[in-house]
Amino acid sequence: MRKQIGMAIPPAGMHHILMAVLKTFAGEPYDYISPTPRLQPNVLFKASGSEVATLVKL
């Protein structure tokens, strides 16, 4: 189980995630992609389960 958890995120992906977190804490700007509006919590919490399933599929 440890090997599966430890290998869940590839090293290259973890590098990008960690750099974004560190730059956020340091207040440095970095490239990012805007989130999809329909998948934000304020939209999802107002939708029914079947609507959420449809939104996530699209």
Side-chain angles (χ1 to χ4, degrees):
M1 187 182 296
R2 286 186 186 160
K3 287 183 180 179
Q4 290 176 345
I5 292 170
M7 294 169 48
I9 301 174
M14 189 60 211
H15 173 77
H16 293 292
I17 293 168
L18 185 57
M19 292 307 295
V21 169
L22 292 174
K23 287 181 179 184
T24 298
F25 288 148
E28 294 180 22
Y30 60 92
D31 293 335
Y32 66 93
I33 299 172
S34 297
T36 305
R38 67 172 189 244
L39 297 178
Q40 297 309 302
N42 60 341
V43 173
L44 294 176
F45 289 148
K46 295 177 186 174
S48 69
S50 59
E51 288 175 295
V52 170
T54 303
L55 289 172
V56 172
K57 286 182 188 177
L58 296 176

